[in-house]
């Protein structure tokens, strides 16, 4: 039984707009469901609506909707090395998306200076 609401048209519009601003063009997003633990102590996985996209440099981005106005995010180049923003949960999708994009941009800069 799903208790987490699906990604709304407004949330899709917000993400399309945010990604267009970031990349200067339309970015293909995919919508799916992911099973995640909402709390580390949870034994059962919860099905969460998910937004996914991939950047030209091969970076994968995922935003999980974990409740009404509740989001988590991560990015990765390799599935076994996932990175995030340092914030466990966001209550604003725009803030979540911008923080995720900024964290990835900061990561790229750090890798170039390493």
């Amino acid at each position: 039984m799903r208790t987490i609401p699906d990604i709304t048209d407004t949330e899709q519009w917000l993400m399309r707009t945010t990604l267009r601003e970031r990349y200067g063009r339309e970015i293909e997003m995919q919508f799916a469901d992911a099973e995640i633990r909402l709390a580390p102590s949870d034994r059962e996985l919860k099905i969460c609506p998910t937004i996914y996209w991939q950047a030209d440099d091969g970076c994968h981005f995922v935003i999980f909707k974990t409740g009404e106005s509740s989001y988590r995010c991560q990015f990765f180049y390799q599935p076994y090395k996932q990175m995030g923003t340092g914030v466990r949960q966001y209550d604003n999708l725009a803030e979540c998306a911008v923080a995720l994009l900024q964290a990835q941009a900061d990561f790229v800069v750090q890798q170039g200076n390493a």
Side-chain angles (χ1 to χ4, degrees):
M1 172 180 234
R2 169 179 263 159
T3 57
I4 299 170
D6 279 330
I7 294 164
T8 66
D9 290 343
T10 301
E11 290 167 325
Q12 290 180 37
W13 175 86
L14 188 143
M15 286 303 303
R16 274 194 302 277
T17 302
T18 301
L19 295 178
R20 190 179 319 113
E21 250 180 61
R22 165 64 175 86
Y23 297 105
R25 62 184 172 82
E26 293 295 321
I27 296 295
E28 180 184 347
M29 294 182 298
Q30 297 178 21
F31 302 95
D33 289 325
E35 292 183 322
I36 66 172
R37 283 188 175 80
L38 294 182
S41 61
D42 287 351
R43 291 179 157 257
E44 293 188 28
L45 301 174
K46 194 73 159 173
I47 296 173
C48 296
T50 305
I51 303 168
Y52 165 85
W53 72 96
Q54 184 175 352
D56 292 338
D57 69 351
C59 186
H60 305 266
F61 296 87
V62 184
I63 296 179
F64 305 100
K65 185 171 183 177
T66 57
E68 185 71 40
S69 298
S70 185
Y71 310 91
R72 290 188 191 165
C73 58
Q74 65 185 32
F75 69 93
F76 58 92
Y77 289 89
Q78 303 293 328
Y80 58 85
K81 187 176 181 187
Q82 299 156 1
M83 294 156 277
T85 63
V87 175
R88 180 159 170 77
Q89 195 97 345
Y90 290 89
D91 60 6
N92 180 292
L93 179 58
E95 183 181 334
C96 178
V98 169
L100 181 61
L101 291 165
Q102 186 61 56
Q104 187 267 342
D106 292 346
F107 174 80
V108 169
V109 169
Q110 286 177 337
Q111 295 304 302
N113 293 333

